[in-house]
Structure formats: structure tokens, C-alpha cells
Amino acid sequence: MPHARTTALTLLAVLSATTLTVAAAPPALAAGETVHVWLTTTDQANKLTQQPDLTFTSGGAGDATVVSVDDGTTFQPIDGIGASFTGSTVWELRNKLSPSARDALMNDLFNPSTGIGMSLLRQPIGGSDQNAPGTDCQPFSLSTDQNDGTIDLIHQAQQLNPALSVMSSVWCVPSWMLSGDALNPAYHQNFSDYVADYLQAYAAQGIPVWGITPQNEPLQSYANFGNNLSATQERDLIKNNLGPTFANRGLDTRILVFDHNWDHPEYVQTILNDPAAAQYVAGSAWHKYAGWVGVQSQIHDQYPDKGIYFTEASPSTGNRDWNSYLPNMGQYIDIMRNWSRTYLQWTIASNPSYGPGSCSNCGALVYIDDTTGAVTRSIDYYLVGHLSKFVRPGAVRVASDDFGDNNVKTVAFRNPDGGKALVAYNGGAGRTVGFNWAGQHVSYYLPAHAVATFTWSGSGTPSGGALNRSGWTASASQSYGGDTPDRVLDGNLGTRWNNGRAQASGNGDYLQVDMHATQTLNRVVADASNDAGDYARGYQLYVSTDGSNWGSPVASGSPSGPVIDISFGAVTARYFRLVLTGDSPWWWSVDEVNAYGGGPLARSGWTASASQSYGGDTPDRVLDGNLGTRWNNGRAQASGNGDYLQVDMHTTHTVNRVVADASNDAGDYARGYQLYVSTDGSNWGSPVASGSPAGPVIDISFGATTARYLRLVLTGNSPWWWSIDEVNAYGA
């Protein structure tokens, strides 16, 4: 039946096919823009090999499989992609390679231009299951890491990739702190000092440690490692000792909890449900060896102000079998689609027998022959590279279609410079796939079980975020059964409105939304991706301030796919109405409707100042377009200190929204604020807005006002410092 719900597309799909209709004064789009492609195939003919460039063409793709990218819909920021200098890795690099061969391999691993550009290291504290020969699980000593070459290798990696970050995980608890095979609670403070000493020792070597987990795999007992730590023990350790120790020593290293498998989310819940512990926690860390990746999304939904971090995927020893192992790319994609801000493999290098460490079933990114020094790259080297080479720290994940296992899976990102990266894995037979973005498309043949990364500058993407739909209502010319108009505003692609009859231009069918206040908007998206055949074959979009006077349509078109993405010149309206103008035996369905406002003001020439700053984290960093840099105040949050961040726009603007984004420093957001505006920088009056945020992105809307200066004043209290990565202002 024409009106039957189409089930070919998964509920995970955000977009299925996009047509951008050019109307009056649309934003500039990237017609003719070049798309770069890198490909890896099971026959090894392509190993992260650059392919001939593609060129965007206007309109939507007409291929059987169509993937759409919407960089106006954003998810988590990305902190880095990488692996670990384990004891085995350091031993192999230092003892089995010549200096020139080692330098060449390090360049391939960390250089973002000529190598795969890994940007994150996870360093074990006190040994691991990949200890070097002749060592056992010893308490941390900086001299150990200096003497075995670990520090030198990290320094070399930093030089090759200045964006490199380091996190650490405690593997080995000093034996005198143990009770059986677990940390004795009597030594929680000693342990906290031990970890803090490590952080300060590494910082003194020019290696700031970005994040730490108190215990690797706390539910797994390793011989001599002291790894058992229950959720209540880790909770009490953090809230009573580790968190306060970090605060007292002025350490802003993030504390991540758990660092173990997806099958025990209750461990994380136990800690985050305790406010006294949760105040010190930036997020949760996860491994892949048991359970379901969707648990990451469940925890994100329960605790949206806490980050999700994927911290270990030890490759199996099968990662040298190209035909059977390459499909593992699907799991890489699933991990990133389920809110992870990181992707970390375990061992960078081992010998072909998976030594010299004790983990005989741990694969590596590269294998070094202990006799000849020959280097062989595993499949995981290339799979990591499909992400790490193209996704920079400070990027954000954006919406893209994912059609599930045995089909085309994707994950997409917007880098700090605005460039886009789309990673696509074909889990089924070879096929031509269409890729849509911002009214443009390219087509590309993906072989069976191949993975490709597509990049483009994306300078013409429509800007502006989705408007808040709270309180909005919808109506329609008519509806079918329980598929009522309100369903297009319920946030669920699994519900829909439909008109209950074949599409006919003469029927005057329409769908109307009342935003219940005038808004500035320049884009409307009507998504029927879960009802692929029921999309409108033709439409006109009208807007109105009073619901009676509609004037001429601001846009019209004849879509070729189920997601109608309409951009137009910015207008002020309370109502918008989609009128059906096409003909088809299919009924007309819409699953969700979103409207988007104007983008942020151009910040060219803007400057920033602050009450005080810490080190190189200067105020100008909030205007540099890079979520990977930040300003911070360098001390615990206290309302009496009068800390502030101020932006001078250098000319007056009419503004009604300011966004202060600390999403790359999840724990350092302001616990309370007041926003002031001024035309002269001297007279500030009363605050135009104030609040007590519950998460790292402070999105402040207020009545339109004319100002040159913006000032955020801290009014909250917290042991965390106050950081801001980026500040944007929006015009009314």
C-alpha cells in the first residue's frame, strides 16, 4: 500500500536524502567544491590510499543508497584518537629499530600531514600486561619512564603533532597499599597523593596529563596488579580523597570513572548518582570486550553533562587477516556514534608473536620483527588512520545516515576550521553510494567491506542552530487516524503525521507550525526519513507573524528524497506552513519538523579580556575558532572573586543570544553566571541574563539589545576551575 510505513531505513538514521531548494537570498553553497577520498580495501590494493578527487554537484543524489550529512546537527566534541606507548611498544621502538627507522615510524604514527596523525595517548601508570622484558609491576617512578625512553618518545610525538594530548590509567597499585588484590581504603589518601605526584612529575617534563582513570578495568583481577576496585570503593576514593587532592593541588586533570566494559553500566551510575563524587568527575571511560556499545548512549542520556570516553580496544591477533578483520571498522563507527569523545587502541607496537609483554592475545597497530627490524602495519593501523588523520581535536560529530550492519555505516565530523570528514564503511556487497550535503551531492563506488574517508572544506554550509521547540504546536489540513500533527514536534523519528490520502496539488494539503513567539529563522527541515516513500513530491513554504497574512512563499521545490531541507533569506515569523504542491499515489508523511535561526555573528576583529588567566590559556582563545584551545581562570570557582570574561565586538550589534562553550573541558564550566552588556565598556546596568548551568555549554537567550561589549561574570562555587573554549554571539 502506498501509505504503509517504510521499514528499510533504521531508526538510527538522522537523514536519508536531502534536497536543498534555492530560494530568495539563500546562503552561499559549495557548488563545484572538491571532495578528497582515501580508501582501504580487503584485497590490500588500497591501504588508506588517496583516490581521485570528486566534485560536488548541485541537487540530491539519485543512487539506491544515499547518505546525507547535516553539519547543522551536532553531537559530542572530539578530544583525540590514538593508542598507547605500553612497555612492549617502548621496548620494541627503542631496542629493535635503528634511530632512523624509529623516526620514520614515529612520523607515520603522529604526523598529521604525512602520517596518520594520532592525537591522543593513554599511558599506563605502574606497568601493565604489556610490560617490557625484565620489569614487573613496579610503583611509579619518573626515573623508570625516563630511563626506558617513554618520556623521550612522548616528547617526539608532541613535536610531530603539537595537538597531541596524554591521558593516563592506573594499572598497578603499589603493593604496600594493597589488601589482597585490591586497594586498601586505609591508603586512599596515600594513593591519591601517588597519582597527584605522577601528574605533577609529568607536567614538569612538559607533558600535561589531560585525564586520568583511577583504575584500569577495576572489575578484572590481574596477577600482582591490584586491580579490583568496586564501584562504591571508587566512588568513596574520588569524593573523599582523589577529587579533593586534585582541587587542593590546583590540578585540572579530568577524572574519568570505570575504564572497563559496556556490560556494567551500574558501576558508573553508582558513582555519578552521588553528587559529592560526581562534582569531581568529568565522565566515564569504556572498553569493548563485553556488553553492548549502546550503553554509552544510555549513560550519556542519564548524565548529559558527563563525557563519554572510549579508552581501550586491544586488537585481536586476527588483525593481520584482511578479509575477516576489516569489518571491525563498523565497531569503530558505532563507538563514535554513541557519544564517545575519544577512540583509543591499546598497544602501538609489539613483535609478531605479540610480545614481549605478557598479553599473548593482544594485537598491535604495527609489528616489529625482533631479528630484522622489519615493520608490518596491521589493519588497525589503517582503521585508526581513517579517523585520526582527518578528525582533529576540537572537532564535533555531526549528523549522518547509518544503515546498520551488513549495509553502509557512517560517522561524520566538523573540524575546528569548518572542514568536514565523513567515514563510511560498506558492510555488504559493493555498491554506488550517493552522499548529500547542503544541497550538493557526489556518488562513489564502495567495494564490499571497504572503508573510505571523504573530506571537504565545507565553507558554504548553512549556519545557525535548531530553535528550541518547547511550547510549539502543529496543525494540518487533515490527518489520518492517530498520526496527528503534534507528532512532528515530539522528538521521535519513529512517530509521524500523515495526510491520509494520495498527494494531489489541487487538494491544498498543508502542515503548519505555531512557534508561539516571533523568531528569526532561515531554514526549515521536514524529515520523513522513516517513511521514505511518503515524502512530499512538491511544496511551498510560507511564513506569517499573525497566522492570517501569509504573502508569497519564501521557498518552493520538488524534492527527490524524504528529508526536505529548505534554506531561505532570514525572516521574522511566528508561523510557518508547508503546502503540498506535488502529485503522487503515495500519501504525505512527516516524522519531525525543525526550524533553524540565523548563524553566529562574524567575529573578525573581536577581542577578549578577563579578570585573570592561567598560563597560556589567554582570553583570545575563546575567539580562535578552535574548541581544542581554551581560556581559564586558574583557580577554583568562587562567587566572591569577581571573575569575568569580556568580549569587545568593536562595533555595536543587536544581539539576543550568547553561547559560551566549554564542551572540551567538561568539568570546568561555570556553576553560576550573570551576563551583562554595554555600549561603552563602562556602564553595564543590570544583568540581561543569569543562571546556574548543569552542563558545559551555556546557551543564553535574552531580549534583543544593542551592545558592543559582553561580559560573563562568575557567580557559582566549585572546586573546578572555570574554562571556556569558544564564545559566540547571535544577532536578533
Side-chain angles (χ1 to χ4, degrees):
M1 294 290 293
H3 61 274
R5 176 173 290 278
T6 302
T7 60
L9 299 183
T10 164
L11 284 176
L12 293 174
V14 177
L15 302 172
S16 181
T18 303
T19 297
L20 180 67
T21 300
V22 179
L29 297 177
E33 184 176 349
T34 298
V35 179
H36 306 292
V37 186
W38 286 261
L39 180 68
T40 298
T41 53
T42 56
D43 61 6
Q44 303 187 49
N46 298 280
K47 298 178 177 179
L48 197 57
T49 304
Q50 188 163 8
Q51 306 297 300
D53 290 340
L54 307 175
T55 303
F56 271 123
T57 302
S58 296
D63 306 286
T65 301
V66 177
V67 171
S68 292
V69 177
D70 174 15
D71 60 305
T73 301
T74 60
F75 301 91
Q76 77 275 18
I78 304 302
D79 293 318
I81 314 292
S84 302
F85 279 133
T86 62
S88 287
T89 298
V90 174
W91 174 265
E92 292 293 328
L93 294 179
R94 300 287 295 183
N95 294 283
K96 298 302 178 181
L97 291 179
S98 68
S100 60
R102 180 172 61 249
D103 289 348
L105 179 56
M106 288 288 288
N107 183 82
D108 287 349
L109 290 165
F110 294 102
N111 190 316
S113 298
T114 59
I116 63 172
M118 291 198 302
S119 55
L120 182 61
L121 290 170
R122 174 178 176 248
Q123 292 307 112
I125 303 176
S128 73
D129 62 1
Q130 289 291 65
N131 281 345
T135 67
D136 200 350
C137 185
Q138 300 294 326
F140 167 74
S141 168
L142 184 64
S143 62
T144 301
D145 289 14
Q146 288 173 318
N147 293 337
D148 71 7
T150 298
I151 298 292
D152 288 343
L153 286 171
I154 296 175
H155 283 158
Q156 186 176 3
Q158 289 176 316
Q159 292 169 357
L160 289 164
N161 189 351
L164 182 80
S165 297
V166 176
M167 69 165 294
S168 297
S169 296
V170 177
W171 270 73
C172 177
V173 177
S175 58
W176 61 272
M177 296 185 190
L178 297 178
S179 176
D181 61 358
L183 176 63
N184 187 332
Y187 296 116
H188 276 185
Q189 188 55 50
N190 302 84
F191 176 84
S192 300
D193 290 333
Y194 161 78
V195 173
D197 288 346
Y198 166 89
L199 297 175
Q200 292 180 323
Y202 257 61
Q205 294 295 310
I207 306 172
V209 177
W210 154 93
I212 194 165
T213 61
Q215 186 62 69
N216 170 72
E217 298 194 345
L219 299 180
Q220 174 73 32
S221 179
Y222 294 93
N224 303 318
F225 285 4
N227 277 50
N228 283 350
L229 194 67
S230 70
T232 55
Q233 289 171 327
E234 185 163 307
R235 177 199 65 196
D236 294 344
L237 167 68
I238 291 169
K239 76 176 176 181
N240 297 325
N241 303 96
L242 192 63
T245 297
F246 280 19
N248 292 337
R249 294 211 197 181
L251 295 169
D252 64 350
T253 300
R254 307 178 198 182
I255 297 174
L256 313 180
V257 300
F258 192 39
D259 208 10
H260 211 164
N261 293 331
W262 296 318
D263 58 342
H264 285 287
E266 74 282 354
Y267 193 109
V268 174
Q269 293 163 334
T270 296
I271 299 171
L272 296 185
N273 286 341
D274 186 327
Q279 67 175 322
Y280 298 112
V281 175
S284 53
W286 301 89
H287 298 184
K288 72 167 191 175
Y289 311 117
W292 172 56
V293 66
V295 164
Q296 292 181 177
S297 287
Q298 292 176 357
I299 293 297
H300 167 269
D301 292 345
Q302 292 171 17
Y303 311 98
D305 62 325
K306 305 299 183 184
I308 300 293
Y309 303 86
F310 184 79
T311 51
E312 187 183 303
S314 185
S316 76
T317 55
N319 75 341
R320 294 147 87 177
D321 180 347
W322 284 73
N323 285 311
S324 65
Y325 193 86
L326 193 59
N328 197 55
M329 189 68 210
Q331 190 174 68
Y332 279 69
I333 289 171
D334 286 340
I335 287 165
M336 303 309 292
R337 290 185 69 90
N338 282 273
W339 291 98
S340 183
R341 298 165 61 126
T342 58
Y343 186 93
L344 281 159
Q345 286 284 10
W346 183 216
T347 305
I348 290 177
S350 71
N351 62 37
S353 298
Y354 313 107
S358 60
C359 182
S360 61
N361 62 349
C362 291
L365 299 187
V366 299
Y367 297 102
I368 299 171
D369 189 293
D370 286 346
T371 302
T372 67
V375 175
T376 303
R377 290 158 178 77
S378 72
I379 301 174
D380 279 294
Y381 170 88
Y382 300 103
L383 300 189
V384 167
H386 272 283
L387 287 167
S388 61
K389 185 174 179 64
F390 309 106
V391 182
R392 309 299 191 202
V396 292
R397 182 170 73 85
V398 300
S400 67
D401 284 335
D402 183 285
F403 299 112
D405 295 338
N406 304 315
N407 209 312
V408 176
K409 299 181 66 64
T410 76
V411 62
F413 306 90
R414 185 179 68 220
N415 278 308
D417 64 359
K420 314 301 183 295
L422 171 70
V423 182
Y425 166 69
N426 181 12
R431 72 190 82 198
T432 298
V433 183
F435 297 95
N436 288 344
W437 170 78
Q440 317 296 315
H441 77 277
V442 295
S443 295
Y444 188 77
Y445 180 79
L446 263 181
H449 304 295
V451 55
T453 297
F454 304 84
T455 66
W456 64 98
S457 66
S459 58
T461 181
S463 59
L467 300 175
N468 186 338
R469 300 185 301 177
S470 178
W472 291 15
T473 56
S475 56
S477 51
Q478 66 174 43
S479 305
Y480 177 75
D483 291 343
T484 50
D486 58 288
R487 291 189 166 193
V488 305
L489 301 171
D490 66 1
N492 183 1
L493 279 170
T495 64
R496 65 173 177 181
W497 161 80
N498 82 73
N499 68 336
R501 60 181 172 182
Q503 297 181 41
S505 56
N507 287 343
D509 285 344
Y510 68 85
L511 176 69
Q512 180 173 312
V513 173
D514 180 355
M515 299 182 287
H516 286 268
T518 55
Q519 307 263 14
T520 299
L521 66 161
N522 63 0
R523 181 179 172 217
V524 169
V525 177
D527 188 339
S529 57
N530 214 43
D531 296 274
D534 287 3
Y535 63 89
R537 297 314 196 270
Y539 71 87
Q540 291 178 328
L541 176 68
Y542 295 82
V543 299
S544 173
T545 56
D546 58 9
S548 299
N549 299 294
W550 293 92
S552 302
V554 296
S556 60
S558 302
S560 60
V563 180
I564 307 174
D565 192 331
I566 314 165
S567 290
F568 45 92
V571 297
T572 300
R574 170 177 167 174
Y575 303 85
F576 59 90
R577 177 185 285 185
L578 272 174
V579 177
L580 184 71
T581 62
D583 299 283
S584 171
W586 290 84
W587 295 7
W588 179 27
S589 295
V590 179
D591 302 330
E592 285 293 301
V593 170
N594 278 285
Y596 296 76
L601 299 173
R603 300 182 299 177
S604 178
W606 292 16
T607 56
S609 56
S611 51
Q612 67 173 41
S613 304
Y614 177 74
D617 292 342
T618 50
D620 57 287
R621 290 188 165 193
V622 306
L623 300 171
D624 66 0
N626 184 0
L627 279 171
T629 64
R630 66 174 177 180
W631 162 79
N632 82 73
N633 69 333
R635 59 182 172 182
Q637 297 181 39
S639 57
N641 287 342
D643 284 345
Y644 68 84
L645 176 74
Q646 181 172 311
V647 172
D648 180 356
M649 298 182 286
H650 286 268
T651 187
T652 57
H653 292 275
T654 301
V655 292
N656 64 358
R657 181 182 173 214
V658 170
V659 177
D661 188 339
S663 57
N664 215 40
D665 296 275
D668 288 2
Y669 63 89
R671 296 316 195 269
Y673 71 86
Q674 291 178 329
L675 175 66
Y676 294 82
V677 299
S678 172
T679 56
D680 59 9
S682 299
N683 300 294
W684 294 93
S686 300
V688 296
S690 60
S692 301
V697 180
I698 306 175
D699 193 330
I700 313 166
S701 294
F702 48 93
T705 185
T706 300
R708 169 178 166 175
Y709 299 87
L710 312 168
R711 178 182 284 185
L712 271 176
V713 177
L714 183 71
T715 62
N717 300 285
S718 171
W720 290 85
W721 295 5
W722 180 26
S723 295
I724 298 178
D725 303 328
E726 286 292 302
V727 170
N728 278 286
Y730 293 75

